[in-house]
């Protein structure tokens, strides 16, 4: 496996691969890899000839007061995990390499970037879309793989690819979970032992909502209020950013189950201690 720090180096390897008629699979990451990332790399390996991953803690997608400086990093461990999962190249640029001195461009996916997590993290999705578009122009992947845990991110990237006529197929892959349901995330590292136990509440709420829908409850606003009350009573939940039902394609609010909703996205974002955690579930009706 090769580690590429320079954009020119990466582009010239990509050109070579393309000349040989081979396909490129790409998994963008911010490092501190876990089984969720590895599942994306393995999926890419099954479908593509050469696998690139990027490891880049992207300053553009962190707001003031967020965890950019403390974001967990462990390059040695990442290299061995990525290699074992089947990555061929790690693109590992410095921030200066990506943004230089005079970077002025931002990609904004309107509306989709302002709701849900966007409401609590202004500018976050513009930072994500901007860096992902740059990666796509550098790595020129045939296919790119994203975790469904960041469901809103996945919808935004798909919208950008469609709107900007990019020749890359985006694949969303299932969330990988711990035994108690907690979705894997590099940020789980921030949780104390007590907080880690409490963090199962996210999956618990999503499951409870699913069960209520499956039992025939059509009033999603009623379910939402029940879950919100439960979350507010939970002393380990410091703040609830949202618990929402949305259309999985458009991310529009859904208030009632009706014939048109075949799938409903339940999404949650809460703060446990200092850690902001998100999760979601697609509920089939
Ligand atoms: O999901 C992530 O880890 C990041 O948002 C991504 C897609 C690598 C962009 O920095």
């Amino acid at each position: 496996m090769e580690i590429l720090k320079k954009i020119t180096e990466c582009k010239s390897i990509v050109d070579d691969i393309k000349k040989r008629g081979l396909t490129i699979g790409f998994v963008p990451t911010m490092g501190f890899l876990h089984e969720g990332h590895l599942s994306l790399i393995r999926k890419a390996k099954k479908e593509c000839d050469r696998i690139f991953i990027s490891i880049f803690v992207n300053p553009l997608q962190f707001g003031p007061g967020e965890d950019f400086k403390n974001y967990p990093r462990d390059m040695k461990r990442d290299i061995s995990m990525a290699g074992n999962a089947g990555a061929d190249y790690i693109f590992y640029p410095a921030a200066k390499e990506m943004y230089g001195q005079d970077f002025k461009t931002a990609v904004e996916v309107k509306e989709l970037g302002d709701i849900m997590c966007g409401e609590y993290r202004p500018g976050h999705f513009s930072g994500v879309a901007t860096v992902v578009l740059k990666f796509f122009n550098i790595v020129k992947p045939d296919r790119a793989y994203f975790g469904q845990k960041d469901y809103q991110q996945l919808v935004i990237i798909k919208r950008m690819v469609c709107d900007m006529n990019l020749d890359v197929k985006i694949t969303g892959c299932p969330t990988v979970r711990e035994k108690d349901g907690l979705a894997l995330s590099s940020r789980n590292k921030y949780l104390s032992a007590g907080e880690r136990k409490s963090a199962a509440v996210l999956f618990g709420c999503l499951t409870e909502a699913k069960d209520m829908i499956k039992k025939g409850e059509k009033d999603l606003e009623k379910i939402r209020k029940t879950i919100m009350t439960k979350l507010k009573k939970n002393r380990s939940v410091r703040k609830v950013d949202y618990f929402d039902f949305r259309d999985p394609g458009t991310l529009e609010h859904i208030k009632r189950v009706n014939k048109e909703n075949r799938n409903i996205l339940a999404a949650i974002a809460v703060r446990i201690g200092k850690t902001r955690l998100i999760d979601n579930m697609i509920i089939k009706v």
Side-chain angles (χ1 to χ4, degrees), residues 241-253:
D241 280 357
Y242 62 80
F243 178 86
D244 266 352
F245 294 102
R246 302 261 175 177
D247 179 288
T250 62
L251 299 185
E252 274 162 25
H253 269 300

Side-chain angles (χ1 to χ4, degrees), residues 200-212:
V201 71
L202 282 87
F203 187 66
C205 288
L206 295 169
T207 308
E208 194 175 329
K210 181 182 84 182
D211 291 346
M212 288 168 87

Side-chain angles (χ1 to χ4, degrees), residues 53-215:
I53 78 161
S54 57
I55 294 183
F56 181 61
V57 184
N58 173 32
L60 280 194
Q61 69 189 75
F62 290 80
E66 289 190 349
D67 56 342
F68 174 66
K69 280 217 174 95
N70 299 331
Y71 195 84
R73 293 160 169 91
D74 191 341
M75 193 53 185
K76 241 188 173 172
R77 185 171 149 273
D78 286 350
I79 292 171
S80 103
M81 286 170 80
N84 289 337
D88 299 298
Y89 301 95
I90 299 184
F91 180 48
Y92 179 53
K96 214 170 150 197
E97 178 71 5
M98 286 296 277
Y99 297 121
Q101 298 284 318
D102 220 11
F103 194 80
K104 298 249 193 285
T105 305
V107 179
E108 193 196 336
V109 180
K110 287 181 198 160
E111 292 160 27
L112 293 176
D114 301 328
I115 56 173
M116 301 168 72
C117 287
E119 208 178 314
Y120 300 89
R121 304 187 68 190
H124 167 69
F125 288 111
S126 171
V128 170
T130 305
V131 82
V132 170
L133 180 59
K134 277 176 74 76
F135 285 143
F136 285 173
N137 284 328
I138 295 165
V139 177
K140 302 186 185 78
D142 297 277
R143 290 165 181 259
Y145 300 81
F146 292 81
Q148 279 168 356
K149 199 212 115 206
D150 296 301
Y151 191 89
Q152 186 177 7
Q153 169 172 281
L154 177 62
V155 171
I156 286 172
I157 299 299
K158 282 185 177 166
R159 187 74 256 160
M160 174 182 81
V161 164
C162 177
D163 289 353
M164 304 312 281
N165 310 96
L166 305 180
D167 291 322
V168 52
K169 181 177 183 298
I170 304 298
T171 301
C173 299
T175 303
V176 180
R177 299 181 180 281
E178 303 276 9
K179 277 209 179 87
D180 64 355
L182 177 67
L184 296 196
S185 160
S186 307
R187 289 191 167 99
N188 293 351
K189 183 181 164 30
Y190 299 144
L191 300 169
S192 68
E195 289 169 351
R196 165 63 193 83
K197 264 194 183 163
S198 310
V201 71
L202 282 87
F203 187 66
C205 288
L206 295 169
T207 308
E208 194 175 329
K210 181 182 84 182
D211 291 346
M212 288 168 87
I213 293 172
K214 295 274 181 198
K215 277 187 189 145

Side-chain angles (χ1 to χ4, degrees), residues 205 221-234 240-244 268-270:
C205 288
E221 207 35 39
K222 188 170 154 196
I223 302 179
R224 200 183 73 80
K225 281 182 188 150
T226 309
I227 302 285
M228 286 298 275
T229 309
K230 182 182 157 152
L231 282 167
K232 281 181 183 152
K233 275 191 196 149
N234 186 323
V240 183
D241 280 357
Y242 62 80
F243 178 86
D244 266 352
I268 182 169
V270 301

